[in-house]
Amino acid sequence: MLSTTLRHAWTCSEHYRRVLPASVSEGRFPLARLQELPILTKDQYARDVAALRTSDEPGIVQCTSGTTGRPIHVYRSNTEIAFLREFQAAVQHILEGDRNGPERLILALPNTYHGQVMDLPTGGHVLTTGLFDPVQLAQAARWLTMDHTIPGVARRVTRITGVYQLVQWLTYMLHERGFDFSRCSVEQVYLSGGYVTSRWLEVLRRSWDALLIPVYSLTEVFTHANQCVECGTYHFLPNVIAELVDPVDHGPLAGDVGELLLTGLFPFVQGQPVIRYATRDLFRLERGGCAQGDGYRFVGRVDSSWILPVPGEAPVVIGSAEVLDALDSLGELARVSALSGLPGLQGGDEIGRPRSAVRLETGEGATARLSVTAQLRFSPILYPDSAERCRRALERDLLRRLGGLADAVRRALLDLVVRCVGPSEASEALASPWERTSGGGQGLEGAAAQ
């Protein structure tokens, strides 16, 4: 598949005729030396969209949301879509073929963030709804609890699929309306499109009493990785080749945390080939811990994490997802709502991201300092003991969750300073969550920046 992918890219894509060696077209390139081929960055992808395309068929156009740079248009050819439909139908037949009885009934919260949606077989009958007005919310609640009479289809909804934020909002709004979750028959909830903190996984698990399956996927490469129910890591499908490289210089990986590169294999990716595509996502490689093979644990985004180079060693990586996990565990922190005015959502601050900022200061010959500042819901002047308890709890949790950070502190490579401020101090303390210091580094996104 890799050999076919390289030849297809060389033959049909102007971009890859420029960057791939001629031996690719002749079938002489050693496939074991894939890591010697050039990396495709997001900036290159955005600039070279037309040259990457392999077909003039109408196809469909999808797009990224631009959270790690400017949005990118992704083209899928008609032949690519036809193959994906045929393949997906075959997979669903294998997975569902031995099921006795009616077809599964699925409630889908559509992903409208990435352009035109491909109509692929889903292994069940799909009911689609939204959440953005009282009628849709009431409809979702009714569909989840009623007996349906669709010919050949199960009477109850047993699966929910959707972007994580939509499932989160649905869950919270139903709680606010006094919804009785015990009346549902949901067995599985698939969550895509965002990092789900450990606290929210527990909230969703308690609410739905169902198997939760976070899904890692991206628009540019047709693949996905479900979070393994056994080991908690992601295992990528064999229709891609996954690599981890050094997050600083894209060289060979020195430690266990690196930036993910994906190569989408033909015929799953045809309209715009992606070979060694730099996703800007950080993962930790975990070997030998699962019968399903090597696992990839999400650490955060490169552009919203702190990476401290250490001469002669692997860099210290402070992942945004891991820091967010620690922040989100504290109910005393103020939050910012991604949306407002949704039915049954009183402001939405309760389910927003914690208001926070992280800054890494480095300098010649000095110990680096990581400053984590979080906003409390109350003033420390009025409740000093509570504020100090929150500060200590956050500090302990950061050191517990981030092994690399704890090791750097022990070795005096890094000082950790944690502050919890009140609402009156927040505007100044959280003014620059993305600030870059004179010593270099990268910013960690605080909720105020989102």
Side-chain angles (χ1 to χ4, degrees):
M1 291 175 72
L2 176 57
S3 177
T4 304
T5 298
L6 296 178
R7 287 200 301 272
H8 169 73
W10 169 277
T11 304
C12 303
S13 165
E14 177 187 340
H15 170 86
Y16 282 111
R17 281 195 294 275
R18 293 199 305 259
V19 303
L20 293 180
S23 57
V24 166
S25 66
E26 302 161 1
R28 294 185 297 102
F29 180 80
L31 300 183
R33 288 164 52 188
L34 176 67
Q35 70 276 9
E36 297 178 12
L37 296 180
I39 290 173
L40 177 65
T41 67
K42 284 182 178 283
D43 285 343
Q44 289 172 326
Y45 195 125
R47 289 196 307 267
D48 237 8
V49 162
L52 280 162
R53 289 179 183 163
T54 63
S55 170
D56 292 329
E57 299 174 354
I60 67 171
V61 176
Q62 298 180 312
C63 60
T64 67
S65 55
T67 54
T68 57
R70 59 176 172 169
I72 298 172
H73 281 79
V74 179
Y75 170 77
R76 302 200 188 282
S77 69
N78 289 331
T79 52
E80 178 180 2
I81 296 167
F83 166 76
L84 292 175
R85 285 175 178 157
E86 182 180 0
F87 177 84
Q88 196 73 5
V91 169
Q92 294 302 332
H93 177 73
I94 293 172
L95 294 177
E96 305 288 344
D98 294 332
R99 282 175 56 91
N100 296 318
E103 191 176 14
R104 186 190 305 274
L105 187 57
I106 302 170
L107 179 67
L109 307 176
N111 180 354
T112 58
Y113 298 100
H114 297 290
Q116 191 171 350
V117 178
M118 273 193 293
D119 182 20
L120 298 179
T122 59
H125 186 87
V126 177
L127 300 174
T128 302
T129 188
L131 305 175
F132 298 103
D133 62 55
V135 174
Q136 289 181 320
L137 180 60
Q139 177 174 266
R142 186 170 63 254
W143 283 352
L144 283 165
T145 55
M146 68 179 285
D147 284 338
H148 298 262
T149 57
I150 305 169
V153 177
R155 298 180 69 85
R156 302 299 296 265
V157 171
T158 57
R159 179 184 293 174
I160 298 175
T161 65
V163 175
Y164 157 57
Q165 290 88 344
L166 296 181
V167 177
Q168 181 189 42
W169 293 330
L170 171 64
T171 306
Y172 182 76
M173 288 189 288
L174 289 176
H175 272 298
E176 287 293 286
R177 288 190 162 204
F179 181 77
D180 184 0
F181 285 83
S182 67
R183 297 174 56 204
C184 297
S185 302
V186 176
E187 300 170 356
Q188 301 168 328
V189 181
Y190 283 79
L191 308 155
S192 63
Y195 174 67
V196 188
T197 65
S198 56
R199 182 182 72 86
W200 262 103
L201 276 175
E202 183 56 30
V203 170
L204 294 171
R205 189 175 291 113
R206 287 199 315 266
S207 300
W208 296 103
D209 190 24
L211 178 64
L212 301 181
I213 306 176
V215 180
Y216 176 83
S217 62
L218 65 164
T219 307
E220 301 95 308
V221 184
F222 186 86
T223 190
H224 69 272
N226 292 348
Q227 191 175 85
C228 180
V229 297
E230 299 295 332
C231 69
T233 68
Y234 293 98
H235 303 294
F236 284 94
L237 296 177
N239 62 357
V240 296
I241 296 175
E243 305 173 66
L244 291 183
V245 296
D246 187 278
V248 177
D249 61 8
H250 281 171
L253 185 66
D256 59 352
V257 176
E259 180 176 353
L260 177 71
L261 306 186
L262 289 179
T263 297
L265 296 177
F266 185 93
F268 294 90
V269 178
Q270 299 183 38
Q272 278 176 213
V274 283
I275 297 169
R276 307 196 75 212
Y277 177 64
T279 64
R280 306 301 288 165
D281 288 326
L282 293 168
F283 282 84
R284 177 178 291 106
L285 181 61
E286 299 186 4
R287 298 185 183 276
C290 183
Q292 303 302 319
D294 291 348
Y296 294 79
R297 192 175 298 278
F298 183 66
V299 173
R301 294 285 181 87
V302 173
D303 300 309
S304 57
S305 298
W306 287 103
I307 301 172
L308 177 66
V310 180
E313 301 181 29
V316 176
V317 178
I318 303 162
S320 58
E322 296 173 311
V323 174
L324 177 60
D325 220 49
L327 290 165
D328 193 50
S329 67
L330 289 175
E332 295 88 347
L333 297 187
R335 284 162 163 76
V336 60
S337 176
L339 287 179
S340 60
L342 294 183
L345 196 59
Q346 304 300 321
D349 290 351
E350 295 86 350
I351 62 171
R353 292 196 172 201
R355 292 184 181 272
S356 58
V358 177
R359 179 177 179 179
L360 182 65
E361 299 171 277
T362 61
E364 294 295 332
T367 301
R369 184 170 80 164
L370 184 75
S371 300
V372 180
T373 305
Q375 180 186 336
L376 298 166
R377 295 179 183 272
F378 54 87
S379 170
I381 297 174
L382 300 177
Y383 303 99
D385 292 343
S386 296
E388 178 58 18
R389 280 197 299 271
C390 288
R391 190 201 68 77
R392 290 198 303 267
L394 178 56
E395 183 178 66
R396 286 195 304 269
D397 213 15
L398 286 168
L399 292 172
R400 180 180 66 86
R401 293 173 189 270
L402 284 83
L405 172 61
D407 182 64
V409 170
R410 279 194 301 267
R411 296 169 59 195
L413 298 173
L414 191 67
D415 288 333
L416 173 63
V417 178
V418 178
R419 297 175 61 210
C420 289
V421 302
S424 62
E425 306 168 81
S427 58
E428 180 178 349
L430 307 182
S432 302
W434 287 82
E435 185 174 351
R436 296 173 183 266
T437 63
S438 58
Q442 295 163 302
L444 170 66
E445 58 191 325
Q450 296 188 15

